[in-house]
Amino acid sequence: MIDATLQRHASEELSRRLAAERGRYYTPNGGLERFLLEKIAPLPVGDRRIHIVILRGGNRLGKTALAASLASYLTNHYPNPYLDRVPYLKNFRRPNRGRILTTGTAAQATYDEELAKWLPARRYRSSKNGHKFQQSYKMLGSGSEFDILTFDQEPMQGESITLDWAIVDEPMPRRHFTALKSRFAFGGVIFFLFTALEGSGWYKHQFETEERLGDDVHVMELSAEENCIQHGVRGIIDHATFESQWADYEEHELPARRDGKYMVSGDLIYPTYVDSNWTDAEGRIVGHVMRELAGYHRQCYDEGYFTMYCTIDPHDR
């Protein structure tokens, strides 16, 4: 028979851990569990390359909770039955230094609360450093630390330190990437966790290429339904709620917001397009022939069914 005093102490300790060490009990839905096991677990422990791990997911998949849990687990060392199954994470070098990159709104409205939820209570110090959100975090036990940089800050503000890991939450402007990757002097991992809306098109063209996929770039696409109570594994959102949200999404955004796909016709980037020039009788250039259009669109273009205009947009996104 279990001693009543021991049983009470055990119950009190469990209650304490559930409140103060929630990271021990982080439980991903089935889709996120596959992401951990199929895309992160195969990475070589201690590898000095810079790996890019991409999760494209629908809204309400659980990406932000995963981001905060990864930041907490990487900078500390506590048991978790799902994250411990990923050797690359479990044996990641500690102490380490990391960074979360996100929007100014998410930094203030989401990450303060989400990180406080998953980081071990009273085992870290955080500071705003003049921002409206907690901008830097220092772990008291492991000595690891990380900061938050927002997309509206200048990339140069993140220079002068060496990083071991980074988590990019939502589409990042292209101008931030070179500055970020240059901070990895000894290899590491950059996680891109996002819904592929405006501003993400350059990810596809730069990272998701035949040459890089499976080499230094590892990608998974997950539908929001992975977090559905009725259709997912360990989902937490009722399917009726999802259907209500999807009913009012704009048609061109639905594949991204629901299924994790890139927006249809969004952020398309065409390479150099001049194959030959059209000239008039006096030799003046009056048009160009597209080199990169293919299939049905090239056929329509060649037969004169539409005219294509080239517009230069100097905006960084």
Side-chain angles (χ1 to χ4, degrees):
M1 184 174 180
I2 300 176
D3 182 270
T5 302
L6 291 177
Q7 189 174 22
R8 177 171 54 82
H9 287 169
S11 178
E12 291 174 351
E13 175 61 14
L14 177 59
S15 297
R16 184 197 68 80
R17 289 185 179 184
L18 286 171
E21 300 178 26
R22 191 169 178 175
R24 288 173 176 259
Y25 308 100
Y26 168 71
T27 302
N29 60 48
L32 295 180
E33 182 183 12
R34 294 200 310 276
F35 173 68
L36 292 169
L37 296 178
E38 296 176 17
K39 298 303 175 182
I40 307 178
L43 301 182
V45 174
D47 191 17
R48 293 295 184 176
R49 300 182 71 193
I50 304 171
H51 291 278
I52 295 172
V53 183
I54 295 175
L55 172 61
R56 284 189 280 105
N59 289 143
R60 301 301 176 186
L61 174 64
K63 300 183 296 297
T64 303
L66 173 64
S69 297
L70 285 173
S72 179
Y73 186 80
L74 285 169
T75 51
N76 295 281
H77 204 188
Y78 50 73
N80 176 284
Y82 295 97
L83 301 178
D84 284 349
R85 294 169 60 195
V86 183
Y88 185 81
L89 299 178
K90 183 176 182 179
N91 300 296
F92 200 81
R93 54 183 177 268
R94 297 175 177 88
N96 56 60
R97 185 155 191 171
R99 171 166 293 158
I100 296 174
L101 294 99
T102 188
T103 65
T105 300
Q108 184 176 349
T110 303
Y111 272 97
D112 273 1
E113 179 180 350
E114 204 69 26
L115 288 168
K117 182 188 302 181
W118 298 108
L119 286 169
R122 298 179 296 278
R123 290 173 56 185
Y124 67 93
R125 290 198 183 99
S126 61
S127 175
K128 291 187 175 182
N129 298 324
H131 296 272
K132 295 181 179 179
F133 54 89
Q134 299 298 326
Q135 191 267 339
S136 63
Y137 293 79
K138 173 79 173 181
M139 305 302 116
L140 302 180
S142 68
S144 298
E145 57 188 297
F146 65 91
D147 59 20
I148 295 179
L149 189 72
T150 62
F151 300 150
D152 54 3
Q153 293 179 249
E154 288 298 321
M156 291 293 293
Q157 295 183 38
E159 302 273 359
S160 303
I161 66 170
T162 298
L163 296 174
D164 300 297
W165 59 267
I167 297 170
V168 182
D169 174 37
E170 298 306 345
M172 176 176 69
R174 177 66 180 82
R175 66 194 183 99
H176 277 277
F177 180 67
T178 301
L180 171 63
K181 195 173 185 182
S182 70
R183 299 298 90 212
F184 287 77
F186 304 104
V189 61
I190 303 175
F191 297 102
F192 287 87
L193 314 176
F194 66 103
T195 298
L197 294 168
E198 179 186 357
S200 64
W202 71 271
Y203 288 6
K204 180 178 182 180
H205 296 281
Q206 178 150 340
F207 302 137
E208 299 186 33
T209 64
E210 184 177 353
E211 296 78 17
R212 301 188 68 174
L213 287 174
D215 183 23
D216 68 322
V217 175
H218 317 273
V219 179
M220 181 170 281
E221 175 183 289
L222 292 176
S223 167
E225 286 246 58
E226 297 285 353
N227 208 21
C228 175
I229 295 173
Q230 289 82 4
H231 303 109
V233 177
R234 297 185 299 274
I236 61 173
I237 297 179
D238 193 279
H239 186 71
T241 301
F242 275 132
E243 287 192 325
S244 180
Q245 292 176 339
W246 299 337
D248 289 319
Y249 287 159
E250 294 186 30
E251 183 178 356
H252 71 284
E253 290 187 346
L254 183 60
R257 293 189 181 277
R258 182 187 62 196
D259 305 319
K261 299 182 181 301
Y262 284 103
M263 279 200 308
V264 177
S265 302
D267 291 320
L268 293 179
I269 300 174
Y270 291 101
T272 303
Y273 70 90
V274 177
D275 186 28
S276 60
N277 295 323
W278 292 338
T279 57
D280 61 15
E282 298 180 7
R284 293 174 298 187
I285 296 176
V286 294
H288 306 287
V289 176
M290 291 290 295
R291 180 194 305 161
E292 297 296 333
L293 283 177
Y296 172 76
H297 296 90
R298 179 59 188 257
Q299 179 183 347
C300 291
Y301 183 81
D302 288 343
E303 294 179 9
Y305 290 120
F306 67 88
T307 299
M308 182 171 290
Y309 294 89
C310 176
T311 302
I312 298 175
D313 181 1
H315 194 280
D316 60 349
R317 295 181 66 182

